[in-house]
Amino acid sequence: MKIVAVDTGGALLTENYEPVGLVATAAVLVEKPYRTAALSVVRYADPFNYDMSGRQAVRDEAFLAVELARGVKPDVVHLDSTIGGIEVRKLDEPTIDALTITDRGKEVWKDLAKDLQPLAKKFWEETGIEIIAIGKSSVPVRIAEIYSGLYTANWAIDYARKNGTVMVGLPRYMKVEIRPDKIYGESLDSREGGLFGEIEANTDGIGWELYPNPLVRRYMVLEVWKT
């Protein structure tokens, strides 16, 4: 089975380890044995001007996933939205009202559905490929999350070259290593079967340090500076 999955992760942090905004939306093509991506694409956000309600992330994810899926023709598309694996093309208002999520979550999805339901329906009519709101239970979504961390590290390198230094928070339970001409990352959760990722990157002229976020368990901080 070929699966396209997408997730948004990584956050620009203040010097007090508070999130400013999210950094990278990553879409990945995942195939057997489902440990890493066969292909990945990224869309960077402006973390200084970011809607942290969740609306921006889900919209960015859906449109980027469709963009990748049109090229690679997977069997299914997985979104990082935990609403029971529902097909997004079926998310009308009565269906959203019946979801076992908070009232605030229902309002968010009613707003999102105005854009995403027509997108998913048109994509399904053209290709027969479903876009599923499956969330964190999906291994490919977790792989996309790891890749969002890799691309966040890449963003941090570029930012540090221009501005001197930066701190970013990585997605949960993952670490990165900045190596010559590449960035490697892997899951820190031993129960996940060795999920990992790697991207090419210009890593010259920077220093870096990785350490636990002192305020939030399960999350690592990547500090990058120009050398």
Side-chain angles (χ1 to χ4, degrees):
M1 175 179 271
K2 294 169 58 177
I3 301 169
V4 162
V6 64
D7 191 26
T8 301
L12 174 64
L13 300 178
T14 69
E15 61 183 12
N16 294 321
Y17 303 102
E18 297 167 346
V20 176
L22 301 184
V23 172
T25 297
V28 296
L29 171 65
V30 179
E31 302 172 312
K32 188 179 178 181
Y34 310 112
R35 290 195 181 96
T36 192
L39 183 67
S40 69
V41 294
V42 64
R43 180 168 295 156
Y44 292 109
D46 175 6
F48 296 100
N49 183 28
Y50 198 90
D51 174 10
M52 294 290 278
S53 71
R55 290 171 172 84
Q56 180 175 343
V58 176
R59 281 195 183 94
D60 288 350
E61 288 164 12
F63 282 94
L64 186 62
V66 167
E67 184 180 308
L68 178 58
R70 286 193 185 281
V72 301
K73 298 178 174 56
D75 297 292
V76 67
V77 174
H78 286 183
L79 296 187
D80 177 33
S81 298
T82 308
I83 53 173
I86 292 172
E87 296 92 343
V88 176
R89 67 184 173 90
K90 297 178 181 177
L91 278 176
D92 55 18
E93 192 159 316
T95 301
I96 294 169
D97 280 330
L99 294 173
T100 55
I101 59 176
T102 65
D103 289 342
R104 180 182 175 278
K106 290 177 183 179
E107 290 306 310
V108 168
W109 265 105
K110 285 176 184 178
D111 182 34
L112 287 169
K114 295 172 187 175
D115 295 329
L116 302 192
Q117 188 193 22
L119 174 74
K121 186 176 180 181
K122 183 173 185 288
F123 185 63
W124 177 78
E125 289 170 348
E126 292 173 351
T127 66
I129 299 169
E130 292 282 11
I131 300 174
I132 306 295
I134 189 172
K136 300 297 186 189
S137 64
S138 163
V139 168
V141 165
R142 172 58 170 156
I143 292 170
E145 185 176 40
I146 289 170
Y147 271 79
S148 74
L150 296 174
Y151 284 113
T152 295
N154 188 55
W155 180 91
I157 290 170
D158 290 341
Y159 185 90
R161 280 206 186 92
K162 297 171 185 174
N163 299 278
T165 186
V166 67
M167 290 196 309
V168 292
L170 298 178
R172 64 197 172 94
Y173 284 131
M174 76 165 290
K175 69 174 185 177
V176 297
E177 295 175 10
I178 298 176
R179 301 173 176 177
D181 301 318
K182 65 183 64 175
I183 303 170
Y184 172 83
E186 64 183 31
S187 170
L188 290 171
D189 189 339
S190 61
R191 300 167 297 181
E192 290 189 328
L195 304 182
F196 70 96
E198 187 175 82
I199 61 172
E200 295 181 358
N202 177 4
T203 60
D204 294 337
I206 60 98
W208 63 281
E209 184 179 10
L210 185 71
Y211 53 89
N213 188 317
L215 303 183
V216 189
R217 289 180 59 220
R218 303 184 300 163
Y219 292 88
M220 303 294 284
V221 173
L222 176 67
E223 192 167 345
V224 182
W225 58 90
K226 183 179 179 180
T227 58

